[in-house]
Amino acid sequence: MIEATTTRFWDGLEPLLGGRSFTDLTHAFHPGQPRFPAFPDEVRETLFDLEKGDGFTAHRYSIVGQWGTHVDPPSHFIQGGRTLDQIPVEDMVLPMVILDITARVNASADATPTMKDVQAWESRNGVIVPGAFVALRTGWSHHWPDACAMANRDEGGISHTPGWSQEVLSFLVEERSVTAVGHEQTDTDPGMATSRQDFSLETYVLAQNRWQIELMANLEGLPEAGAALIASWPKPFRGSGFPARVFAIH
């Protein structure tokens, strides 16, 4: 009976997936990749190696939780906030919204989204549904894995990278009840803010009991509406962040 029920479920699901595209939104992480300046580099040690005659290959990885394409739960910034193991799996499959400001970023690396961007999206696609995942498309992931290009610092050491804006995040969270947000750059806040240690936008998102995905890849190939976002990560007890595997079905 269990086997038959499982088969019936897949029989219903398979036609929905047939002919769909699957887009990996995740960078493969490795030592030396771009990262927050205060974080140590990855250390990877080969404990057993097939090429050296061992019966299997196994590595030990030493990384910070916020490494490569990763998830930030509320506890990353908020004391007492939800940890990774407290985010339910049903929140890892979400309708996806792409908010595209790539053209403005090409003109100015300091660009951020405005309410006009959101209003234009909704005029084309309808109201953003509650529970959505909203990704900010900036084209910034094309700089990966060049750390200097990702940070884009001027002669004074100020970083010029795109980021979110308070007005847009407040609207998405408080008026549209989104579940999570994501972006291609290293931080939620634009580079000019993080250069002065201002992480108020990331603090805001996580303080609202939302989670986010940072350092996303391949957003340029996605439709601005109609895709499904699938985000998965390990389940460390009381975890404050971890590399994630994220993809879209569209």
Side-chain angles (χ1 to χ4, degrees):
M1 180 61 70
I2 294 177
E3 182 179 353
T5 301
T6 302
T7 302
R8 286 199 299 270
F9 176 78
W10 179 255
D11 287 344
L13 183 62
E14 196 277 335
L16 298 176
L17 298 179
R20 296 287 184 176
S21 296
F22 290 72
T23 300
D24 193 347
L25 307 180
T26 313
H27 293 292
F29 66 79
H30 56 84
Q33 69 179 21
R35 62 187 185 275
F36 182 65
F39 289 160
D41 199 359
E42 172 187 337
V43 177
R44 189 177 302 192
E45 179 184 1
T46 303
L47 302 179
F48 299 91
D49 193 340
L50 283 168
E51 294 185 0
K52 294 183 178 180
D54 296 327
F56 54 89
T57 295
H59 295 94
R60 176 163 54 198
Y61 303 87
S62 177
I63 55 173
V64 295
Q66 280 68 28
W67 192 248
T69 304
H70 65 269
V71 56
D72 289 327
S75 64
H76 178 42
F77 268 34
I78 306 303
Q79 187 173 3
R82 282 192 301 170
T83 55
L84 287 183
D85 54 307
Q86 294 173 329
I87 297 176
V89 292
E90 54 264 33
D91 283 358
M92 298 180 185
V93 181
L94 303 172
M96 190 172 193
V97 169
I98 300 290
L99 199 60
D100 190 354
I101 63 167
T102 304
R104 289 214 309 280
V105 172
N106 290 339
S108 171
D110 299 312
T112 60
T114 68
M115 280 304 301
K116 289 183 178 180
D117 297 312
V118 178
Q119 291 161 358
W121 190 98
E122 292 195 331
S123 71
R124 294 188 298 270
N125 303 289
V127 174
I128 295 171
V129 297
F133 179 99
V134 183
L136 183 64
R137 182 159 63 199
T138 61
W140 209 252
S141 63
H142 291 295
H143 295 306
W144 183 274
D146 185 331
C148 290
M150 288 290 290
N152 194 34
R153 298 187 184 278
D154 62 24
E155 294 180 355
I158 303 300
S159 179
H160 296 275
T161 65
W164 287 94
S165 65
Q166 183 65 63
E167 66 169 352
V168 167
L169 285 174
S170 296
F171 178 81
L172 293 175
V173 170
E174 298 168 26
E175 301 297 327
R176 293 295 181 259
S177 299
V178 303
T179 291
V181 298
H183 44 268
E184 299 175 66
Q185 55 276 2
T186 306
D187 294 294
T188 316
D189 298 79
M192 292 184 68
T194 61
S195 294
R196 60 176 185 271
Q197 300 303 302
D198 177 1
F199 299 95
S200 56
L201 298 184
E202 182 165 0
T203 301
Y204 169 78
V205 170
L206 302 182
Q208 306 308 306
N209 201 26
R210 269 59 176 185
W211 53 269
Q212 66 174 15
I213 300 290
E214 295 195 301
L215 291 168
M216 300 182 75
N218 301 321
L219 291 179
E220 73 280 357
L222 299 181
E224 66 175 7
L229 182 285
I230 293 86
S232 183
W233 51 81
K235 193 179 179 181
F237 181 60
R238 296 180 180 173
S240 60
F242 219 90
R245 188 67 183 266
V246 188
F247 65 97
I249 305 174
H250 53 100

